Amino acid sequence: MPKRVILVYTAGMRASDTAYTALQEDILEGRLAPGTVLGEVGQSERLGVSRTPIREAFSRLIAAGLAVQHPGRGTVVSDISLEDVDRLFEVRIPLETQAAGLAAQRGTPEVFTALAEEFRQAKLAPEAESHYKLAARMDEAIDTSVGNPYLSTMLANLRVHLIRVRRLAKDQPERLAESAAEHRDICLGIASGDSQMAEAATSLHLRRSLAYISELRQAEPVPSP
Amino acid sequence: MPKRVILVYTAGMRASDTAYTALQEDILEGRLAPGTVLGEVGQSERLGVSRTPIREAFSRLIAAGLAVQHPGRGTVVSDISLEDVDRLFEVRIPLETQAAGLAAQRGTPEVFTALAEEFRQAKLAPEAESHYKLAARMDEAIDTSVGNPYLSTMLANLRVHLIRVRRLAKDQPERLAESAAEHRDICLGIASGDSQMAEAATSLHLRRSLAYISELRQAEPVPSP
DNA sequence: ACATCTAGTCTTGTATACACAGACTGCACG
DNA sequence: CGTGCAGTCTGTGTATACAAGACTAGATGT
């Protein structure tokens, strides 16, 4: 007897996709804290699907680095802390710098002048949610301008982890305003077609972001688990 | 009628792992050409395991970029050509340059002086197989020296694709000797602890490799599929 | 008291059965 | 001869049953 048919099959949406999306959100939003053990049966009951799609979702989580597989203890949500920020930026800085430089060579300037204008306005009224939305749109514009799937994939993988550390380091309004100004500089550099300017602006922005987080970390030592 | 390959179940080796390894090798070695459709049932029969591990293997292939999922036609081996080399190097150059620079700061010099000596000897008798083995050992040494899992993961993903393009561009002995010399320079730069020297040597090596492949591509136009 | 062996109970790994969706084929009709 | 449609059919998505491995806890022997 079918015990429960919670999910009517949404059009074109596989159960494994919905499970992965739900799990990823739960991890990124912190509802599933690092160290949480994810049992296949437990999650299958929680999400109302069978173990098979859950397994698929777990595989993708592990591939994305959001979970790790423990030998006999199941898969657990991967740990992350402000310590990881240094290692993440060691990858992020060269990749995004490269992306900005290539976007300057290949992008259509109008797109980025428009984005620069948006950042100018955003600087006046800093607000975290809209700021990150706008930054994401800039990243997307850079991605499409560069037109390199390998680079885009790497950056996408990276951004997942950056979202997690962002939760740990709450931005303050003045930093958001600074960040908006730096984003504007990047857009202007790309729009001008000067790849070196775009690279410099990107490098500057990321190093300032890193410095901000670093001093935040020094000021507020890690809360012991 | 396709041959049925009996997989040897190594101790502690899951069937999904062996299936993935077999499929990856088949793709990397060219036995499964780009465009080949991979049916779950077909591969499960060929490899002698059930569909479930095959599905898992397919997921990992797709995540690695070795296969893509077509809407109604199943999953097919992803296409790759010498055209991809430019896009790959747009990611590879900044990442490996960064890695070399960090290795110079953090690695133990003795490891890399030893590797440099090996490259010096390899330069005298260029041979593709041993050259790539040695280069792989250098990459591994850099990875461990840097100690950045995010960077290591990205480079590992990248190298899978580089193996595929390497098959398309057959190296010639003189290029191997050059390459060995350039690898030696990288090792010496890292061993000296001079990150800028290591970065410069890496950048030079990769740009020369790219130039070599590019002129190879011009000389020998793509065979139309 | 401590170590070790063993039974039990989780957990994951694998196989298979069933359901559904898309694509191909054959035929009829314009 | 082309086009549309229906039937079939293959192939994936999902569920579940079965098997095997691993940690745990308890008992037992030293």
Side-chain angles (χ1 to χ4, degrees), chain B residues 13-198:
Chain B
M13 210 45 154
R14 300 190 296 268
S16 60
D17 287 338
T18 61
Y20 176 73
T21 305
L23 285 167
Q24 180 184 335
E25 279 223 345
D26 288 342
I27 295 176
L28 260 43
E29 303 291 333
R31 288 189 291 271
L32 288 175
T36 308
V37 293
L38 298 175
E40 292 181 1
V41 285
Q43 295 304 312
S44 85
E45 287 171 0
R46 185 174 77 94
L47 298 175
V49 297
S50 163
R51 271 183 58 212
T52 309
I54 293 292
R55 278 185 73 79
E56 187 129 342
F58 279 16
S59 299
R60 291 171 64 182
L61 288 177
I62 293 169
L66 291 176
V68 293
Q69 200 149 28
H70 261 256
R73 259 176 217 165
T75 72
V76 304
V77 178
S78 71
D79 202 358
I80 196 167
S81 71
L82 284 180
E83 310 291 325
D84 288 292
V85 127
D86 294 306
R87 293 193 277 271
L88 280 168
F89 272 64
E90 283 175 3
V91 186
R92 185 187 187 187
I93 290 176
L95 280 185
E96 293 213 347
T97 301
Q98 172 79 327
L102 293 173
Q105 297 174 23
R106 301 171 188 172
T108 59
E110 292 75 16
V111 174
F112 291 95
T113 52
L115 280 168
E117 173 59 21
E118 290 198 64
F119 274 116
R120 194 186 61 77
Q121 293 175 356
K123 181 176 184 295
L124 304 177
E127 198 274 320
E129 186 71 16
S130 59
H131 174 77
Y132 290 128
K133 286 264 200 220
L134 184 52
R137 279 176 43 214
M138 186 191 82
D139 288 338
E140 195 182 327
I142 292 177
D143 271 7
T144 61
S145 299
V146 174
N148 185 331
Y150 300 102
L151 183 53
S152 298
T153 303
M154 299 253 168
L155 284 172
N157 291 344
L158 205 56
R159 285 181 194 129
V160 173
H161 297 285
L162 290 169
I163 291 174
R164 291 189 85 188
V165 298
R166 181 188 299 161
R167 280 190 57 82
L168 299 175
K170 302 174 191 65
D171 280 306
Q172 292 175 359
E174 66 260 22
R175 175 57 199 150
L176 285 179
E178 281 183 5
S179 178
E182 292 161 16
H183 276 85
R184 179 167 174 269
D185 290 339
I186 295 172
C187 289
L188 291 177
I190 295 175
S192 72
D194 185 338
S195 62
Q196 293 195 0
M197 187 192 295

